[in-house]
Amino acid sequence: MRGSRCLTVATALLTLVALKAYIEWTAEEEERFPTPHGAGWHSSPITPAQPSKEEALVFIPQHFNASMQQLRQSIPRAKAYWNEKQHRIFRVLEGDLEGNASRDECFGSRAADKASKIKDFGSYSELYRNFILYDECRTFPLLINQPTKCISSGKNHTFLLLAIKSLPGNFAARQAVRDTWGQEGAPGGLPIRTVFLLGTAQGRSGPRLQRLVDYESQLFGDILMWDFEDTFFNLTLKDNLFLNWTLEYCRDVSFILKGDDDVFINTPKVLDYLGSLDVQKPLYMGQVMANASPFRIRKSKYYVPESYYVGPYPSYAGGGGYIFSGSLARWLHFVSRHIAFYPIDDVYTGLCFQALGIHPETHPGFQTFDIAEKDREDPCVHRKLLLVHRRSPQQTLQLWKRITDSELRC
């Protein structure tokens, strides 16, 4: 009971300090980039129907106190590396331990100390071991930037930002996206922008692709590349760095669609759906995974050892593709500083949203595990969907041509 009260007080103080700093920062930023639709939104009966900006800014911190408590209670106290690490963060928030509750330092030099905390650390794959040794590292140089991506006619506003995770060598996949559902423009007055999120080429002995990606960026102006090794376990890091970029260069975006470069997105239908929503209501939507647990099969790329994590997963939207409100980017970035990095990126995103008290909304138009074999070539089926995973560049080009054909009758 005492620990619970301490956590409530400590978290309340923390959020009030963060709120004050954020309001001051917002006031400065508004002078540079006026927000066209304001920062106010509501999603709870306890929130006024038309909240003022100040009331809206308090909304998330109010939920944060209770939702962090719920998150703490949902994570088992077990002798597993991640569980112990996260509960240590909670104890720092409580004031029972000294330390920095914000996780923004790199402790890669403490390799021996980290390895000693996992009894079977030597049995982990090299990529897994590297993730653990450097899971505090959250600052990496931005090698290729697009600082004006969201600026149009002197204004910093984008309705839908397509943030597509890609690998340096996936040139054909990126081009297929540009030629189809990732085309930029402003259909119906709703500006769409596209960025591809990349790390550097995987492995010290891999092909040198930097010059090719540089040239691609010069041609199309849609590449964001950071100086970290682009591996599956670093997708959480990629998401975090993208949030940093969004707050710096695209802070007034209405909606963000995060997806892989092998999904097929029915952009017109996505715009129709989002255009019907109240942009002030926070949204986290996709194909929701509920009651999921870690994979314990070593051959699976989603494998999580029991010595690393014990417990169920929160409900989360599948990482193949999901949408969230742009106004939530600042709060996701804030709360991520108090959630230890997890090697499965969509699970980590679900943890962060849970800490904010926001639950994922399921939408039948998201099919991140593909659809029935008999429907995979049917343009009428795809015309009803918002997103399906996965399609080759050739399939993407053919499907786009067919669903956008004005003579198609379904």
Side-chain angles (χ1 to χ4, degrees):
M1 289 296 292
R2 176 182 173 277
S4 178
R5 288 194 215 98
C6 289
L7 179 61
T8 301
V9 173
T11 308
L13 289 173
L14 174 67
T15 51
L16 286 173
V17 170
L19 177 61
K20 179 178 182 293
Y22 177 74
I23 292 174
E24 293 172 351
W25 173 75
T26 303
E28 295 174 359
E29 290 292 299
E30 286 293 339
E31 295 178 1
R32 297 166 52 203
F33 304 114
T35 306
H37 55 268
W41 41 259
H42 56 91
S43 68
S44 168
I46 66 171
T47 308
Q50 295 183 338
S52 68
K53 183 175 180 180
E54 290 73 18
E55 289 169 332
L57 289 172
V58 172
F59 177 76
I60 285 292
Q62 284 180 338
H63 278 248
F64 181 65
N65 290 331
S67 54
M68 278 293 277
Q69 287 276 6
Q70 293 174 358
L71 178 63
R72 179 174 179 264
Q73 294 169 5
S74 70
I75 298 172
R77 288 183 175 274
K79 289 188 177 299
Y81 177 82
W82 191 92
N83 299 64
E84 291 185 335
K85 183 174 184 177
Q86 185 58 48
H87 276 286
R88 187 184 189 283
I89 296 174
F90 289 139
R91 291 181 64 192
V92 170
L93 287 172
E94 291 173 11
D96 288 349
L97 286 177
E98 292 185 2
N100 183 4
S102 296
R103 320 306 296 172
D104 58 356
E105 300 178 13
C106 184
F107 298 121
S109 59
R110 292 168 45 185
D113 180 50
K114 287 193 171 190
S116 67
K117 294 180 179 179
I118 303 177
K119 59 182 179 181
D120 56 344
F121 184 75
S123 69
Y124 285 25
S125 69
E126 181 182 5
L127 290 178
Y128 227 120
R129 293 198 302 268
N130 286 339
F131 172 82
I132 293 169
L133 295 178
Y134 298 96
D135 61 2
E136 303 286 355
C137 303
R138 302 194 177 195
T139 303
F140 290 83
L142 184 57
L143 301 177
I144 302 177
N145 191 13
Q146 309 298 335
T148 61
K149 170 58 67 173
C150 293
I151 297 177
S152 178
S153 302
K155 296 181 179 180
N156 186 305
H157 178 58
T158 295
F159 181 75
L160 176 62
L161 178 63
L162 301 173
I164 309 304
K165 296 171 287 185
S166 187
L167 292 169
N170 291 8
F171 297 103
R174 290 193 289 276
Q175 194 56 46
V177 170
R178 294 187 188 103
D179 291 341
T180 59
W181 54 261
Q183 297 175 43
E184 296 188 330
L190 302 175
I192 303 174
R193 298 292 181 265
T194 302
V195 288
F196 295 97
L197 314 179
L198 281 67
T200 54
Q202 180 179 346
R204 293 182 292 273
S205 59
R208 295 188 297 271
L209 301 177
Q210 187 65 48
R211 287 189 178 182
L212 292 175
V213 176
D214 284 338
Y215 181 66
E216 181 185 10
S217 177
Q218 292 171 17
L219 282 177
F220 301 106
D222 55 12
I223 300 290
L224 297 176
M225 175 182 261
W226 289 270
D227 190 15
F228 68 88
E229 189 175 0
D230 207 334
T231 67
F232 175 71
F233 291 142
N234 278 340
L235 288 175
T236 298
L237 171 63
K238 184 181 287 188
D239 282 354
N240 194 260
L241 292 171
F242 167 70
L243 287 176
N244 289 337
W245 182 87
T246 302
L247 294 178
E248 180 70 22
Y249 300 108
C250 202
R251 63 182 299 270
D252 290 329
V253 61
S254 297
F255 297 100
I256 296 171
L257 193 159
K258 290 286 298 300
D260 294 339
D261 61 8
D262 60 350
V263 300
F264 182 85
I265 298 175
N266 187 343
T267 317
K269 192 169 182 65
V270 169
L271 287 175
D272 286 345
Y273 179 78
L274 295 179
S276 68
L277 300 180
D278 178 1
V279 295
Q280 294 182 320
K281 180 180 179 180
L283 179 71
Y284 171 39
M285 181 184 72
Q287 183 172 7
V288 176
M289 312 299 154
N291 303 315
S293 297
F295 280 73
R296 302 303 190 190
I297 302 173
R298 284 183 176 271
K299 292 183 179 180
S300 171
K301 73 174 183 176
Y302 302 104
Y303 167 65
V304 176
E306 289 190 63
S307 58
Y308 182 81
Y309 176 79
V310 172
Y313 284 156
S315 295
Y316 64 93
Y322 58 88
I323 297 176
F324 64 95
S325 302
S327 57
L328 294 178
R330 63 198 68 175
W331 299 113
L332 285 171
H333 181 264
F334 167 72
V335 77
S336 71
R337 294 166 61 84
H338 311 292
I339 307 296
F341 268 3
Y342 193 79
I344 314 298
D345 60 312
D346 47 7
V347 172
Y348 182 76
T349 299
L351 286 165
C352 290
F353 272 109
Q354 183 179 356
L356 293 177
I358 296 174
H359 302 287
E361 299 177 26
T362 190
H363 191 293
F366 283 80
Q367 296 293 325
T368 55
F369 293 101
D370 211 340
I371 53 179
E373 184 67 29
K374 64 181 179 64
D375 296 327
R376 295 189 86 251
E377 307 295 330
D378 190 335
C380 289
V381 171
H382 286 79
R383 193 178 251 189
K384 297 176 183 178
L385 299 175
L386 272 65
L387 180 149
V388 63
H389 194 204
R390 64 185 56 179
R391 295 293 179 267
S392 70
Q394 294 76 17
Q395 290 171 327
T396 293
L397 290 165
Q398 293 169 5
L399 279 170
W400 183 256
K401 182 178 180 180
R402 295 176 72 184
I403 72 164
T404 57
D405 186 350
S406 60
E407 296 184 2
L408 177 63
R409 298 291 179 266
C410 295

